[in-house]
Short mmCIF file of all heavy atoms in Angstrom, two decimals:
data_model
loop_
_atom_site.label_atom_id
_atom_site.label_comp_id
_atom_site.label_asym_id
_atom_site.label_seq_id
_atom_site.Cartn_x
_atom_site.Cartn_y
_atom_site.Cartn_z
N ARG A 1551 13.84 -5.43 -5.63
CA ARG A 1551 13.98 -6.32 -6.78
C ARG A 1551 12.67 -7.07 -7.07
O ARG A 1551 12.66 -8.03 -7.83
CB ARG A 1551 15.13 -7.30 -6.53
CG ARG A 1551 16.45 -6.56 -6.25
CD ARG A 1551 17.64 -7.39 -6.56
NE ARG A 1551 17.61 -7.92 -7.91
CZ ARG A 1551 18.43 -8.86 -8.37
NH1 ARG A 1551 19.35 -9.36 -7.56
NH2 ARG A 1551 18.34 -9.30 -9.61
N GLN A 1552 11.57 -6.64 -6.43
CA GLN A 1552 10.25 -7.25 -6.64
C GLN A 1552 9.22 -6.17 -6.98
O GLN A 1552 8.33 -5.87 -6.18
CB GLN A 1552 9.81 -8.01 -5.38
CG GLN A 1552 10.69 -9.23 -5.07
CD GLN A 1552 10.45 -9.77 -3.68
OE1 GLN A 1552 10.79 -9.11 -2.69
NE2 GLN A 1552 9.89 -10.96 -3.57
N PRO A 1553 9.33 -5.57 -8.19
CA PRO A 1553 8.39 -4.50 -8.55
C PRO A 1553 6.93 -5.01 -8.60
O PRO A 1553 6.67 -6.08 -9.16
CB PRO A 1553 8.86 -4.06 -9.94
CG PRO A 1553 9.65 -5.22 -10.47
CD PRO A 1553 10.29 -5.86 -9.27
N ASP A 1554 6.01 -4.23 -8.03
CA ASP A 1554 4.59 -4.60 -8.05
C ASP A 1554 4.02 -4.43 -9.45
O ASP A 1554 4.28 -3.43 -10.12
CB ASP A 1554 3.79 -3.71 -7.09
CG ASP A 1554 3.90 -4.19 -5.66
OD1 ASP A 1554 5.03 -4.37 -5.18
OD2 ASP A 1554 2.85 -4.40 -5.03
N LEU A 1555 3.21 -5.40 -9.85
CA LEU A 1555 2.52 -5.31 -11.14
C LEU A 1555 1.30 -4.41 -11.01
O LEU A 1555 0.75 -4.24 -9.92
CB LEU A 1555 2.08 -6.70 -11.59
CG LEU A 1555 3.21 -7.59 -12.13
CD1 LEU A 1555 2.78 -9.05 -12.15
CD2 LEU A 1555 3.63 -7.14 -13.53
N ASN A 1556 0.85 -3.88 -12.15
CA ASN A 1556 -0.37 -3.07 -12.19
C ASN A 1556 -1.52 -3.96 -12.63
O ASN A 1556 -1.65 -4.26 -13.82
CB ASN A 1556 -0.16 -1.91 -13.17
CG ASN A 1556 -1.46 -1.18 -13.46
OD1 ASN A 1556 -2.44 -1.32 -12.72
ND2 ASN A 1556 -1.47 -0.39 -14.52
N TRP A 1557 -2.35 -4.35 -11.70
CA TRP A 1557 -3.44 -5.28 -12.01
C TRP A 1557 -4.63 -4.61 -12.69
O TRP A 1557 -5.63 -5.27 -12.98
CB TRP A 1557 -3.83 -6.07 -10.76
CG TRP A 1557 -2.94 -7.28 -10.67
CD1 TRP A 1557 -1.71 -7.36 -10.10
CD2 TRP A 1557 -3.20 -8.56 -11.26
NE1 TRP A 1557 -1.18 -8.61 -10.29
CE2 TRP A 1557 -2.08 -9.37 -10.99
CE3 TRP A 1557 -4.26 -9.11 -11.99
CZ2 TRP A 1557 -1.99 -10.69 -11.43
CZ3 TRP A 1557 -4.19 -10.42 -12.42
CH2 TRP A 1557 -3.06 -11.19 -12.14
N ASP A 1558 -4.54 -3.32 -12.96
CA ASP A 1558 -5.58 -2.69 -13.79
C ASP A 1558 -5.27 -2.89 -15.26
O ASP A 1558 -6.05 -2.52 -16.13
CB ASP A 1558 -5.64 -1.18 -13.50
CG ASP A 1558 -6.23 -0.92 -12.14
OD1 ASP A 1558 -7.03 -1.77 -11.69
OD2 ASP A 1558 -5.86 0.08 -11.51
N HIS A 1559 -4.11 -3.46 -15.53
CA HIS A 1559 -3.67 -3.58 -16.92
C HIS A 1559 -4.15 -4.91 -17.52
O HIS A 1559 -3.85 -5.97 -16.97
CB HIS A 1559 -2.14 -3.51 -16.95
CG HIS A 1559 -1.61 -3.16 -18.30
ND1 HIS A 1559 -1.82 -3.96 -19.40
CD2 HIS A 1559 -0.87 -2.10 -18.72
CE1 HIS A 1559 -1.24 -3.40 -20.45
NE2 HIS A 1559 -0.66 -2.27 -20.06
N PRO A 1560 -4.88 -4.85 -18.64
CA PRO A 1560 -5.43 -6.10 -19.20
C PRO A 1560 -4.36 -7.13 -19.56
O PRO A 1560 -4.58 -8.33 -19.45
CB PRO A 1560 -6.20 -5.65 -20.45
CG PRO A 1560 -5.95 -4.20 -20.61
CD PRO A 1560 -5.32 -3.65 -19.37
N GLU A 1561 -3.17 -6.65 -19.97
CA GLU A 1561 -2.12 -7.62 -20.34
C GLU A 1561 -1.65 -8.41 -19.12
O GLU A 1561 -1.29 -9.58 -19.24
CB GLU A 1561 -0.91 -6.88 -20.90
CG GLU A 1561 -0.95 -6.72 -22.40
CD GLU A 1561 0.31 -6.00 -22.87
OE1 GLU A 1561 1.43 -6.44 -22.56
OE2 GLU A 1561 0.13 -4.96 -23.55
N VAL A 1562 -1.62 -7.76 -17.97
CA VAL A 1562 -1.21 -8.45 -16.75
C VAL A 1562 -2.23 -9.55 -16.45
O VAL A 1562 -1.89 -10.71 -16.19
CB VAL A 1562 -1.08 -7.46 -15.57
CG1 VAL A 1562 -0.85 -8.19 -14.26
CG2 VAL A 1562 0.06 -6.47 -15.85
N ARG A 1563 -3.49 -9.20 -16.52
CA ARG A 1563 -4.54 -10.19 -16.24
C ARG A 1563 -4.48 -11.34 -17.23
O ARG A 1563 -4.54 -12.51 -16.84
CB ARG A 1563 -5.92 -9.52 -16.29
CG ARG A 1563 -6.04 -8.51 -15.18
CD ARG A 1563 -7.47 -8.07 -14.94
NE ARG A 1563 -7.43 -7.07 -13.89
CZ ARG A 1563 -8.32 -6.94 -12.92
NH1 ARG A 1563 -9.35 -7.76 -12.86
NH2 ARG A 1563 -8.21 -6.01 -12.01
N ALA A 1564 -4.33 -11.02 -18.49
CA ALA A 1564 -4.33 -12.07 -19.52
C ALA A 1564 -3.11 -12.98 -19.33
O ALA A 1564 -3.22 -14.21 -19.45
CB ALA A 1564 -4.32 -11.44 -20.91
N ASP A 1565 -2.00 -12.39 -19.01
CA ASP A 1565 -0.79 -13.20 -18.89
C ASP A 1565 -0.91 -14.18 -17.73
O ASP A 1565 -0.53 -15.35 -17.85
CB ASP A 1565 0.43 -12.30 -18.69
CG ASP A 1565 1.73 -13.07 -18.89
OD1 ASP A 1565 1.93 -13.57 -20.02
OD2 ASP A 1565 2.49 -13.22 -17.93
N PHE A 1566 -1.45 -13.74 -16.61
CA PHE A 1566 -1.57 -14.66 -15.48
C PHE A 1566 -2.61 -15.75 -15.73
O PHE A 1566 -2.45 -16.88 -15.27
CB PHE A 1566 -1.80 -13.91 -14.17
CG PHE A 1566 -0.49 -13.56 -13.52
CD1 PHE A 1566 0.16 -12.37 -13.81
CD2 PHE A 1566 0.15 -14.47 -12.67
CE1 PHE A 1566 1.39 -12.08 -13.25
CE2 PHE A 1566 1.38 -14.18 -12.12
CZ PHE A 1566 2.01 -12.98 -12.41
#
Side-chain angles (χ1 to χ4, degrees):
R1551 303 203 54 192
Q1552 294 167 292
D1554 278 53
L1555 284 163
N1556 169 17
W1557 273 87
D1558 289 332
H1559 199 298
E1561 268 181 54
V1562 172
R1563 295 195 182 218
D1565 194 62
F1566 271 89

